[in-house]
Amino acid sequence: MSLDMSEASATFKHPFDSDKLHEECALFGVWGHAEAAPLTILGLHAQQHRGQEASGIVTFDGARFHSERRMGLVDSFNSEAILFHLKGAGAIGHNRYATTGDTILRNVQPLFGELATGGFAVAHNGNLTNAETIKRELVQRGSIFQSTSDTEVIIHLVATSKFGPILDRLIDALLKVEGAYSLCALTPDGLIGVRDPLGVRPLVLGRLGDAYILASETVALDIIGARFVRDIEPGELVRISAYGIESFKPFKPAPHRFCVFEYVYFARPDSVLEGRSVYAARKKIGEVLAKESPANADLVIPVPDSGNPAAIGFAQAAGLPFELGIIRNHYVGRTFIQPKQEIRDFGVKMKHNANSALVKGKRIVLVDDSIVRGTTSVKIVAMMREAGASEVHMRIASPPTTHSCFYGVDTPERSKLLAANHDLEAMRRFIGADSLAFISMDGLYQAMGEAKRFDDAPQFCDACFTGDYPTVLTDQDMGVNPRQLSLLAEKA
Ligand code: SF4
């Protein structure tokens, strides 16, 4: 079996995207459909929000694996030549968001290895918290790493496992890793989907005719007309093959700790994750926030687009008009050529502009999903004042982000998080608002349909708000991974 690769050129990050947390990856998998590659392109396209810097697709045609990995948006796969090349009824795909340095092609997933059991391609959403430690051991024993991706650790562990069948090897490998992972893997015998025992990252199962689909989010099923079957359960491994679907629970049961930030910001609002509509959850957050922290104001204005549902919920609960007081320029994206510094200093207006005719003389409530460094909030509050708003009250649809994420989300190191170093009043002064409030932790849990946060057994991962990490952080504790995914600090 052989693997063909092709490459393409890079795109650029928009500078104003740097004050948001970023999801790392989207997964998609198909088994048993003649149009596996086009379906995968569509599935990745629907999940482009989870990663915009690179995409990859691996297909299997019954004899050979084929692969395309490209920098930039998944649109670049839409060519006859690529579709002709990506033959087969089985496919997996991946969108990547890089955390540090430049994305380089050898880190673009799915990663592939020719193992004793045959070809093995794997795509990963999440982050392994002991990857660097394992990698050092493997390198000591002679493993040669091709990429700087933590996902390659899984391939090496599978390759060097003492077990025979690929499924046993994969389970053996996953029993050695810590952290968060949802995986799609492609082998000559079928498609494999896995979620880590805590179920930190999402993975859903769908059907399209006789074919099976795996995806990070349900929107990827919607776009191809597939039927949602169920979430892959935390700690569940499914194998989809000519024999249908088999489910395995190879890991020690663990408390469920789904990432609550998926509901706050990462996932698309039209997705349903773990039985909850993301849109409904965001709207509910806005309602709870309005009850917890009302404001004397004339209008409720979202910071688009991620603040929209929470702002609607806030406005409805507060009995205030919801208005679009900030207009987003959708044409400033990741293909934007980075401007010179003096042009960049025009600031946030390149992406967001105040609707001056609406806000002039008004007391406004600005609703945003989160505050990371706070730099964007400063610019947006200033922009609303320049546009004539008489008062600006900021309401945030998540608790203060005080800790870094080690589970596959690009967060600044802790010292750069505004809430890690400032109390509420200092944050208010920093962003220049007349008042500032965050939803409380219990309020967030209530918006998720829970009575409260059970501090001795939290129902979600909320570590970026609490520092209560649900797994050990081996690399961090050993000082070999001072920042998440430092393993990925690319030196091409
Ligand atoms: Fe999600 Fe925050 Fe947990 Fe990371 S630390 S998995 S962003 S809740």
Side-chain angles (χ1 to χ4, degrees):
M1 253 168 252
S2 67
L3 185 74
D4 305 320
M5 298 288 182
S6 68
E7 305 191 357
S9 61
T11 55
F12 301 94
K13 272 190 205 177
H14 187 271
F16 306 123
D17 286 331
S18 62
D19 194 28
K20 284 284 177 195
L21 299 188
H22 289 280
E23 184 60 82
E24 299 286 319
C25 304
L27 303 177
F28 193 83
V30 185
W31 187 259
H33 199 291
E35 301 291 323
L39 290 173
T40 304
I41 293 170
L42 288 168
L44 293 179
H45 180 77
Q47 301 180 104
Q48 191 77 79
H49 60 291
R50 296 182 76 89
Q52 295 104 39
E53 294 203 347
S55 296
I57 296 176
V58 172
T59 62
F60 180 67
D61 67 6
R64 282 168 55 100
F65 284 86
H66 309 276
S67 173
E68 290 280 347
R69 298 190 292 172
R70 303 175 78 82
M71 310 303 282
L73 300 178
V74 75
D75 282 353
S76 66
F77 279 80
N78 245 334
S79 88
E80 298 258 331
I82 290 173
L83 290 174
F84 181 75
H85 171 61
L86 290 172
K87 296 185 179 76
I92 59 172
H94 186 269
N95 288 338
R96 177 165 194 261
Y97 180 84
T99 54
T100 53
D102 295 326
T103 299
I104 52 173
L105 201 58
R106 63 193 163 93
N107 283 339
V108 177
Q109 299 186 31
L111 299 183
F112 179 86
E114 288 282 3
L115 312 186
T117 50
F120 178 75
V122 65
H124 171 203
N125 176 204
N127 185 49
L128 306 181
T129 54
N130 63 343
E132 184 68 38
T133 305
I134 293 176
K135 181 181 176 183
R136 288 180 181 196
E137 290 165 12
L138 287 166
V139 169
Q140 288 282 330
R141 297 210 303 266
S143 286
I144 299 169
F145 278 72
Q146 302 290 325
S147 77
T148 52
S149 160
D150 62 339
T151 309
E152 195 178 349
V153 167
I154 294 172
I155 292 193
H156 282 269
L157 288 173
V158 172
T160 54
S161 169
K162 295 188 175 56
F163 289 87
I166 187 67
L167 217 55
D168 292 348
R169 285 170 175 259
L170 178 59
I171 292 166
D172 183 39
L174 295 178
L175 286 170
K176 295 185 171 78
V177 302
E178 297 158 0
Y181 54 84
S182 284
L183 303 177
C184 281
L186 190 65
T187 74
D189 301 323
L191 174 67
I192 297 168
V194 199
R195 279 178 85 194
D196 66 70
L198 300 169
V200 175
R201 295 272 152 251
L203 190 63
V204 299
L205 175 71
R207 290 293 312 250
L208 181 66
D210 293 332
Y212 284 93
I213 311 292
L214 291 171
S216 294
E217 293 188 30
T218 57
V219 285
L221 305 180
D222 298 342
I223 196 173
I224 60 167
R227 175 173 58 85
F228 169 75
V229 176
R230 65 180 177 86
D231 293 286
I232 303 300
E233 292 175 27
E236 182 183 16
L237 182 153
V238 294
R239 175 168 61 185
I240 297 157
S241 68
Y243 304 105
I245 184 163
E246 302 161 272
S247 169
F248 304 89
K249 293 279 182 65
F251 310 111
K252 212 168 107 195
H256 191 176
R257 300 289 293 274
F258 187 65
C259 167
V260 77
F261 226 124
E262 292 276 356
Y263 292 112
V264 170
Y265 173 69
F266 300 136
R268 257 177 61 160
D270 44 342
S271 278
V272 176
L273 300 176
E274 307 262 301
R276 288 181 192 84
S277 150
V278 174
Y279 180 82
R282 284 184 194 161
K283 219 174 133 194
K284 191 75 189 163
I285 289 172
E287 287 172 31
V288 174
L289 184 56
K291 285 178 187 143
E292 286 186 346
S293 301
N296 282 326
D298 305 308
L299 302 174
V300 176
I301 290 172
V303 178
D305 294 321
S306 50
N308 291 356
I312 292 170
F314 191 106
Q316 288 179 355
L320 293 170
F322 167 90
E323 297 285 1
L324 298 179
I326 301 173
I327 305 302
R328 180 172 169 188
N329 183 347
H330 287 270
Y331 302 99
V332 180
R334 294 199 166 266
T335 50
F336 188 84
I337 296 169
Q338 294 203 33
K340 288 184 179 160
Q341 185 62 40
E342 59 268 29
I343 302 295
R344 203 182 301 169
D345 286 342
F346 284 137
V348 77
K349 288 179 185 169
M350 294 172 71
K351 189 167 180 180
H352 294 126
N353 192 34
N355 184 351
S356 310
L358 177 78
V359 303
K360 196 167 179 8
K362 299 288 195 322
R363 299 168 301 166
I364 62 169
V365 179
L366 270 183
V367 180
D368 204 353
D369 56 85
S370 57
I371 291 181
V372 183
R373 292 179 174 87
T375 49
T376 300
S377 303
V378 169
K379 290 171 183 164
I380 287 184
V381 170
M383 185 175 75
M384 301 316 284
R385 290 203 192 281
E386 269 176 45
S390 60
E391 292 178 22
V392 181
H393 301 277
M394 194 93 188
R395 295 293 179 268
I396 305 299
S398 60
T401 305
T402 51
H403 289 74
S404 302
C405 175
F406 296 95
Y407 302 123
V409 171
D410 179 26
T411 35
E413 59 192 61
R414 205 171 165 219
S415 62
K416 300 215 169 73
L417 295 169
L418 186 67
N421 307 302
H422 298 77
D423 64 16
L424 187 65
E425 173 56 16
M427 283 192 274
R428 184 199 67 74
R429 281 202 307 273
F430 179 79
I431 66 171
D434 293 287
S435 73
L436 170 68
F438 296 78
I439 193 168
S440 70
M441 186 56 66
D442 278 343
L444 178 62
Y445 274 68
Q446 281 156 20
M448 296 298 127
E450 305 285 337
K452 62 192 274 290
R453 180 184 196 264
F454 298 123
D455 292 343
D456 48 351
Q459 305 92 311
F460 293 91
C461 177
D462 54 23
C464 46
F465 309 125
T466 59
D468 183 359
Y469 294 99
T471 71
V472 288
L473 303 175
T474 301
D475 290 347
Q476 179 79 359
D477 294 343
M478 305 268 290
V480 294
N481 190 15
R483 186 178 180 274
Q484 100 152 331
L485 302 186
S486 66
L487 177 64
L488 306 184
E490 293 96 343
K491 302 272 188 294

